[in-house]
Amino acid sequence: GGRDGLGAYIANPEAYPPNVVIYHNADFVAIYDMFPKSSLHLLLLPRDKTKYLLHPFEAFKDEEFLAKVKFEAQKLRSLAAGELRRKYGKYSALEQERQNALNADPPPDELPRGRDWDMEVMCGIHAVPSMNHLHVHVIAVDRYSDRLKSRNHYNSFATPFFVPIDDFPLSQDDPRISPTSSHYYLNQDFVCWRCGRNFGNKFTELKKHLEEEFVQWRQL
Ligand code: 5GP
Ligand code: ZN
């Protein structure tokens, strides 16, 4: 439990049902976040003992390790995108056309592209993680969840406090490395991830707006 709570999944992934541990292999465990901050929120846990207790800024200085994590994160991102497509894809006319084409006999040479749900999934880490074991968030962009209950919950995914995995390796003078700036990010005004509207410190209004944005976003 507590800050070491993610360790159990790494040590013993086979002990969990598929609604907790999504998959595991020799190097990684993919799980559902227990307190999701979006409509879909997964975590990728590297199992390398020499890395998993390091701060991500430290762990990702190893280029070979970073490459492995990036590759696996992209895999999990595609999996998450597929899940979003199944959940929301039916709302899109293009997606319907795509499904029809897929089911056609014979199928056409070229399928309609459909919505690229990979673009709706963010992969990255928190500049100051709260959990000790190294984890990459794989999270839908909507930030629509009952569990999103505080300033930090929102701003940790909506400001540079969230560092996309593809931004690594960071340069030594990257401002996101400084603890001072991470404090500043968390205390910024609430800014809608989708339309950029500023809600100051009005969390209730932000939450209401996030619901409206969610409904439009998933139907797009
Ligand atoms: P951090 O702020 O450290 O980057 O994020 C840690 C994440 O782990 C949070 O999103 C939190 O909801 C999630 N979390 C905390 N404890 C547990 C747990 O015991 N199980 C699972 N699956 N997720 C957890
Ligand atoms: Zn908005």
PDB file of all heavy atoms in Angstrom, residues 99-123:
ATOM      1  N   GLN A  99     -16.240   0.673 -40.504  1.00  0.00           N
ATOM      2  CA  GLN A  99     -16.722  -0.635 -40.053  1.00  0.00           C
ATOM      3  C   GLN A  99     -17.484  -1.352 -41.173  1.00  0.00           C
ATOM      4  O   GLN A  99     -17.292  -2.545 -41.397  1.00  0.00           O
ATOM      5  CB  GLN A  99     -17.626  -0.482 -38.812  1.00  0.00           C
ATOM      6  CG  GLN A  99     -16.879  -0.087 -37.543  1.00  0.00           C
ATOM      7  CD  GLN A  99     -15.736  -1.019 -37.200  1.00  0.00           C
ATOM      8  OE1 GLN A  99     -15.837  -2.233 -37.393  1.00  0.00           O
ATOM      9  NE2 GLN A  99     -14.620  -0.460 -36.722  1.00  0.00           N
ATOM     10  N   ASN A 100     -18.317  -0.600 -41.878  1.00  0.00           N
ATOM     11  CA  ASN A 100     -19.066  -1.172 -42.994  1.00  0.00           C
ATOM     12  C   ASN A 100     -18.120  -1.725 -44.053  1.00  0.00           C
ATOM     13  O   ASN A 100     -18.309  -2.831 -44.567  1.00  0.00           O
ATOM     14  CB  ASN A 100     -19.993  -0.117 -43.627  1.00  0.00           C
ATOM     15  CG  ASN A 100     -21.124   0.290 -42.681  1.00  0.00           C
ATOM     16  OD1 ASN A 100     -21.406  -0.402 -41.703  1.00  0.00           O
ATOM     17  ND2 ASN A 100     -21.760   1.417 -42.958  1.00  0.00           N
ATOM     18  N   ALA A 101     -17.088  -0.927 -44.352  1.00  0.00           N
ATOM     19  CA  ALA A 101     -16.110  -1.346 -45.363  1.00  0.00           C
ATOM     20  C   ALA A 101     -15.378  -2.609 -44.910  1.00  0.00           C
ATOM     21  O   ALA A 101     -15.158  -3.538 -45.690  1.00  0.00           O
ATOM     22  CB  ALA A 101     -15.125  -0.210 -45.621  1.00  0.00           C
ATOM     23  N   LEU A 102     -15.014  -2.636 -43.628  1.00  0.00           N
ATOM     24  CA  LEU A 102     -14.323  -3.806 -43.063  1.00  0.00           C
ATOM     25  C   LEU A 102     -15.168  -5.068 -43.194  1.00  0.00           C
ATOM     26  O   LEU A 102     -14.657  -6.159 -43.465  1.00  0.00           O
ATOM     27  CB  LEU A 102     -14.018  -3.571 -41.582  1.00  0.00           C
ATOM     28  CG  LEU A 102     -12.651  -3.009 -41.231  1.00  0.00           C
ATOM     29  CD1 LEU A 102     -12.606  -2.615 -39.748  1.00  0.00           C
ATOM     30  CD2 LEU A 102     -11.554  -4.021 -41.515  1.00  0.00           C
ATOM     31  N   ASN A 103     -16.469  -4.901 -42.991  1.00  0.00           N
ATOM     32  CA  ASN A 103     -17.374  -6.052 -43.008  1.00  0.00           C
ATOM     33  C   ASN A 103     -17.856  -6.418 -44.414  1.00  0.00           C
ATOM     34  O   ASN A 103     -18.498  -7.457 -44.599  1.00  0.00           O
ATOM     35  CB  ASN A 103     -18.585  -5.777 -42.110  1.00  0.00           C
ATOM     36  CG  ASN A 103     -18.180  -5.617 -40.646  1.00  0.00           C
ATOM     37  OD1 ASN A 103     -17.196  -6.209 -40.222  1.00  0.00           O
ATOM     38  ND2 ASN A 103     -18.920  -4.816 -39.894  1.00  0.00           N
ATOM     39  N   ALA A 104     -17.549  -5.551 -45.382  1.00  0.00           N
ATOM     40  CA  ALA A 104     -18.045  -5.783 -46.739  1.00  0.00           C
ATOM     41  C   ALA A 104     -17.394  -7.032 -47.348  1.00  0.00           C
ATOM     42  O   ALA A 104     -16.300  -7.431 -46.961  1.00  0.00           O
ATOM     43  CB  ALA A 104     -17.758  -4.564 -47.609  1.00  0.00           C
ATOM     44  N   ASP A 105     -18.097  -7.632 -48.284  1.00  0.00           N
ATOM     45  CA  ASP A 105     -17.582  -8.825 -48.948  1.00  0.00           C
ATOM     46  C   ASP A 105     -17.686  -8.625 -50.452  1.00  0.00           C
ATOM     47  O   ASP A 105     -18.785  -8.638 -50.996  1.00  0.00           O
ATOM     48  CB  ASP A 105     -18.400 -10.046 -48.484  1.00  0.00           C
ATOM     49  CG  ASP A 105     -17.846 -11.353 -49.054  1.00  0.00           C
ATOM     50  OD1 ASP A 105     -16.644 -11.373 -49.387  1.00  0.00           O
ATOM     51  OD2 ASP A 105     -18.620 -12.308 -49.173  1.00  0.00           O
ATOM     52  N   PRO A 106     -16.589  -8.440 -51.182  1.00  0.00           N
ATOM     53  CA  PRO A 106     -15.226  -8.388 -50.670  1.00  0.00           C
ATOM     54  C   PRO A 106     -14.897  -7.005 -50.090  1.00  0.00           C
ATOM     55  O   PRO A 106     -15.496  -6.028 -50.535  1.00  0.00           O
ATOM     56  CB  PRO A 106     -14.398  -8.639 -51.933  1.00  0.00           C
ATOM     57  CG  PRO A 106     -15.226  -8.053 -53.035  1.00  0.00           C
ATOM     58  CD  PRO A 106     -16.651  -8.226 -52.620  1.00  0.00           C
ATOM     59  N   PRO A 107     -13.955  -6.925 -49.130  1.00  0.00           N
ATOM     60  CA  PRO A 107     -13.593  -5.609 -48.584  1.00  0.00           C
ATOM     61  C   PRO A 107     -12.890  -4.766 -49.646  1.00  0.00           C
ATOM     62  O   PRO A 107     -12.191  -5.331 -50.498  1.00  0.00           O
ATOM     63  CB  PRO A 107     -12.633  -5.943 -47.427  1.00  0.00           C
ATOM     64  CG  PRO A 107     -12.330  -7.391 -47.515  1.00  0.00           C
ATOM     65  CD  PRO A 107     -13.194  -8.025 -48.552  1.00  0.00           C
ATOM     66  N   PRO A 108     -13.068  -3.457 -49.626  1.00  0.00           N
ATOM     67  CA  PRO A 108     -12.405  -2.589 -50.615  1.00  0.00           C
ATOM     68  C   PRO A 108     -10.887  -2.570 -50.395  1.00  0.00           C
ATOM     69  O   PRO A 108     -10.415  -2.922 -49.318  1.00  0.00           O
ATOM     70  CB  PRO A 108     -13.015  -1.206 -50.329  1.00  0.00           C
ATOM     71  CG  PRO A 108     -13.482  -1.281 -48.912  1.00  0.00           C
ATOM     72  CD  PRO A 108     -13.847  -2.709 -48.647  1.00  0.00           C
ATOM     73  N   ASP A 109     -10.144  -2.203 -51.451  1.00  0.00           N
ATOM     74  CA  ASP A 109      -8.683  -2.162 -51.341  1.00  0.00           C
ATOM     75  C   ASP A 109      -8.238  -1.164 -50.284  1.00  0.00           C
ATOM     76  O   ASP A 109      -7.290  -1.394 -49.544  1.00  0.00           O
ATOM     77  CB  ASP A 109      -8.064  -1.762 -52.688  1.00  0.00           C
ATOM     78  CG  ASP A 109      -8.257  -2.873 -53.710  1.00  0.00           C
ATOM     79  OD1 ASP A 109      -8.534  -4.009 -53.275  1.00  0.00           O
ATOM     80  OD2 ASP A 109      -8.149  -2.597 -54.911  1.00  0.00           O
ATOM     81  N   GLU A 110      -8.953  -0.018 -50.249  1.00  0.00           N
ATOM     82  CA  GLU A 110      -8.554   1.001 -49.283  1.00  0.00           C
ATOM     83  C   GLU A 110      -9.689   1.307 -48.329  1.00  0.00           C
ATOM     84  O   GLU A 110     -10.799   1.623 -48.740  1.00  0.00           O
ATOM     85  CB  GLU A 110      -8.123   2.281 -50.003  1.00  0.00           C
ATOM     86  CG  GLU A 110      -6.608   2.414 -50.064  1.00  0.00           C
ATOM     87  CD  GLU A 110      -6.167   3.771 -50.564  1.00  0.00           C
ATOM     88  OE1 GLU A 110      -6.521   4.763 -49.910  1.00  0.00           O
ATOM     89  OE2 GLU A 110      -5.492   3.817 -51.610  1.00  0.00           O
ATOM     90  N   LEU A 111      -9.388   1.206 -47.026  1.00  0.00           N
ATOM     91  CA  LEU A 111     -10.396   1.507 -46.012  1.00  0.00           C
ATOM     92  C   LEU A 111     -10.409   3.013 -45.745  1.00  0.00           C
ATOM     93  O   LEU A 111      -9.357   3.652 -45.805  1.00  0.00           O
ATOM     94  CB  LEU A 111     -10.057   0.778 -44.708  1.00  0.00           C
ATOM     95  CG  LEU A 111     -10.221  -0.724 -44.708  1.00  0.00           C
ATOM     96  CD1 LEU A 111      -9.651  -1.310 -43.421  1.00  0.00           C
ATOM     97  CD2 LEU A 111     -11.690  -1.098 -44.849  1.00  0.00           C
ATOM     98  N   PRO A 112     -11.588   3.547 -45.450  1.00  0.00           N
ATOM     99  CA  PRO A 112     -11.601   4.942 -44.985  1.00  0.00           C
ATOM    100  C   PRO A 112     -10.730   5.041 -43.727  1.00  0.00           C
ATOM    101  O   PRO A 112     -10.711   4.103 -42.923  1.00  0.00           O
ATOM    102  CB  PRO A 112     -13.065   5.192 -44.629  1.00  0.00           C
ATOM    103  CG  PRO A 112     -13.844   4.085 -45.240  1.00  0.00           C
ATOM    104  CD  PRO A 112     -12.922   2.929 -45.416  1.00  0.00           C
ATOM    105  N   ARG A 113     -10.010   6.121 -43.575  1.00  0.00           N
ATOM    106  CA  ARG A 113      -9.025   6.223 -42.490  1.00  0.00           C
ATOM    107  C   ARG A 113      -9.669   6.183 -41.103  1.00  0.00           C
ATOM    108  O   ARG A 113      -9.133   5.625 -40.177  1.00  0.00           O
ATOM    109  CB  ARG A 113      -8.185   7.502 -42.620  1.00  0.00           C
ATOM    110  CG  ARG A 113      -7.098   7.414 -43.656  1.00  0.00           C
ATOM    111  CD  ARG A 113      -6.008   6.348 -43.360  1.00  0.00           C
ATOM    112  NE  ARG A 113      -4.808   6.946 -42.815  1.00  0.00           N
ATOM    113  CZ  ARG A 113      -4.327   6.671 -41.609  1.00  0.00           C
ATOM    114  NH1 ARG A 113      -4.945   5.826 -40.835  1.00  0.00           N
ATOM    115  NH2 ARG A 113      -3.224   7.238 -41.187  1.00  0.00           N
ATOM    116  N   GLY A 114     -10.821   6.846 -40.932  1.00  0.00           N
ATOM    117  CA  GLY A 114     -11.423   6.892 -39.613  1.00  0.00           C
ATOM    118  C   GLY A 114     -10.659   7.821 -38.692  1.00  0.00           C
ATOM    119  O   GLY A 114      -9.636   8.402 -39.076  1.00  0.00           O
ATOM    120  N   ARG A 115     -11.123   7.926 -37.474  1.00  0.00           N
ATOM    121  CA  ARG A 115     -10.465   8.814 -36.524  1.00  0.00           C
ATOM    122  C   ARG A 115      -9.213   8.156 -35.975  1.00  0.00           C
ATOM    123  O   ARG A 115      -9.215   6.965 -35.663  1.00  0.00           O
ATOM    124  CB  ARG A 115     -11.436   9.105 -35.381  1.00  0.00           C
ATOM    125  CG  ARG A 115     -10.914  10.110 -34.370  1.00  0.00           C
ATOM    126  CD  ARG A 115     -11.996  10.464 -33.396  1.00  0.00           C
ATOM    127  NE  ARG A 115     -11.560  11.453 -32.436  1.00  0.00           N
ATOM    128  CZ  ARG A 115     -12.309  11.882 -31.439  1.00  0.00           C
ATOM    129  NH1 ARG A 115     -13.548  11.423 -31.300  1.00  0.00           N
ATOM    130  NH2 ARG A 115     -11.862  12.791 -30.596  1.00  0.00           N
ATOM    131  N   ASP A 116      -8.143   8.930 -35.857  1.00  0.00           N
ATOM    132  CA  ASP A 116      -6.909   8.391 -35.305  1.00  0.00           C
ATOM    133  C   ASP A 116      -6.939   8.521 -33.780  1.00  0.00           C
ATOM    134  O   ASP A 116      -6.521   9.525 -33.216  1.00  0.00           O
ATOM    135  CB  ASP A 116      -5.699   9.130 -35.892  1.00  0.00           C
ATOM    136  CG  ASP A 116      -4.384   8.516 -35.420  1.00  0.00           C
ATOM    137  OD1 ASP A 116      -4.435   7.504 -34.688  1.00  0.00           O
ATOM    138  OD2 ASP A 116      -3.321   9.051 -35.789  1.00  0.00           O
ATOM    139  N   TRP A 117      -7.414   7.470 -33.128  1.00  0.00           N
ATOM    140  CA  TRP A 117      -7.574   7.521 -31.669  1.00  0.00           C
ATOM    141  C   TRP A 117      -6.240   7.539 -30.942  1.00  0.00           C
ATOM    142  O   TRP A 117      -6.174   7.910 -29.770  1.00  0.00           O
ATOM    143  CB  TRP A 117      -8.468   6.372 -31.194  1.00  0.00           C
ATOM    144  CG  TRP A 117      -9.915   6.595 -31.530  1.00  0.00           C
ATOM    145  CD1 TRP A 117     -10.591   6.109 -32.606  1.00  0.00           C
ATOM    146  CD2 TRP A 117     -10.849   7.398 -30.784  1.00  0.00           C
ATOM    147  NE1 TRP A 117     -11.900   6.553 -32.574  1.00  0.00           N
ATOM    148  CE2 TRP A 117     -12.081   7.331 -31.474  1.00  0.00           C
ATOM    149  CE3 TRP A 117     -10.762   8.153 -29.612  1.00  0.00           C
ATOM    150  CZ2 TRP A 117     -13.226   8.005 -31.021  1.00  0.00           C
ATOM    151  CZ3 TRP A 117     -11.896   8.819 -29.160  1.00  0.00           C
ATOM    152  CH2 TRP A 117     -13.111   8.749 -29.863  1.00  0.00           C
ATOM    153  N   ASP A 118      -5.158   7.117 -31.588  1.00  0.00           N
ATOM    154  CA  ASP A 118      -3.831   7.232 -30.967  1.00  0.00           C
ATOM    155  C   ASP A 118      -3.546   8.671 -30.544  1.00  0.00           C
ATOM    156  O   ASP A 118      -2.890   8.912 -29.533  1.00  0.00           O
ATOM    157  CB  ASP A 118      -2.737   6.782 -31.947  1.00  0.00           C
ATOM    158  CG  ASP A 118      -2.452   5.294 -31.845  1.00  0.00           C
ATOM    159  OD1 ASP A 118      -3.426   4.520 -31.810  1.00  0.00           O
ATOM    160  OD2 ASP A 118      -1.270   4.917 -31.796  1.00  0.00           O
ATOM    161  N   MET A 119      -4.074   9.611 -31.333  1.00  0.00           N
ATOM    162  CA  MET A 119      -3.844  11.025 -31.051  1.00  0.00           C
ATOM    163  C   MET A 119      -4.582  11.491 -29.792  1.00  0.00           C
ATOM    164  O   MET A 119      -4.313  12.571 -29.281  1.00  0.00           O
ATOM    165  CB  MET A 119      -4.322  11.889 -32.225  1.00  0.00           C
ATOM    166  CG  MET A 119      -3.601  11.636 -33.523  1.00  0.00           C
ATOM    167  SD  MET A 119      -1.829  11.973 -33.371  1.00  0.00           S
ATOM    168  CE  MET A 119      -1.876  13.760 -33.164  1.00  0.00           C
ATOM    169  N   GLU A 120      -5.527  10.678 -29.342  1.00  0.00           N
ATOM    170  CA  GLU A 120      -6.351  11.051 -28.184  1.00  0.00           C
ATOM    171  C   GLU A 120      -5.837  10.423 -26.893  1.00  0.00           C
ATOM    172  O   GLU A 120      -6.517  10.430 -25.870  1.00  0.00           O
ATOM    173  CB  GLU A 120      -7.820  10.634 -28.424  1.00  0.00           C
ATOM    174  CG  GLU A 120      -8.388  11.034 -29.780  1.00  0.00           C
ATOM    175  CD  GLU A 120      -8.447  12.541 -29.979  1.00  0.00           C
ATOM    176  OE1 GLU A 120      -8.434  13.286 -28.983  1.00  0.00           O
ATOM    177  OE2 GLU A 120      -8.477  12.968 -31.164  1.00  0.00           O
ATOM    178  N   VAL A 121      -4.637   9.852 -26.971  1.00  0.00           N
ATOM    179  CA  VAL A 121      -4.041   9.210 -25.800  1.00  0.00           C
ATOM    180  C   VAL A 121      -2.679   9.847 -25.516  1.00  0.00           C
ATOM    181  O   VAL A 121      -1.858   9.972 -26.419  1.00  0.00           O
ATOM    182  CB  VAL A 121      -3.846   7.692 -26.031  1.00  0.00           C
ATOM    183  CG1 VAL A 121      -3.221   7.031 -24.808  1.00  0.00           C
ATOM    184  CG2 VAL A 121      -5.170   7.021 -26.388  1.00  0.00           C
ATOM    185  N   MET A 122      -2.459  10.261 -24.279  1.00  0.00           N
ATOM    186  CA  MET A 122      -1.184  10.852 -23.883  1.00  0.00           C
ATOM    187  C   MET A 122      -0.362   9.819 -23.100  1.00  0.00           C
ATOM    188  O   MET A 122      -0.914   9.066 -22.299  1.00  0.00           O
ATOM    189  CB  MET A 122      -1.394  12.055 -22.956  1.00  0.00           C
ATOM    190  CG  MET A 122      -2.473  13.029 -23.362  1.00  0.00           C
ATOM    191  SD  MET A 122      -2.446  14.535 -22.343  1.00  0.00           S
ATOM    192  CE  MET A 122      -2.900  13.904 -20.740  1.00  0.00           C
ATOM    193  N   CYS A 123       0.955   9.805 -23.374  1.00  0.00           N
ATOM    194  CA  CYS A 123       1.856   8.929 -22.630  1.00  0.00           C
ATOM    195  C   CYS A 123       2.921   9.789 -21.970  1.00  0.00           C
ATOM    196  O   CYS A 123       3.628  10.514 -22.667  1.00  0.00           O
ATOM    197  CB  CYS A 123       2.578   7.958 -23.554  1.00  0.00           C
ATOM    198  SG  CYS A 123       1.512   6.803 -24.383  1.00  0.00           S
TER     199      CYS A 123
END
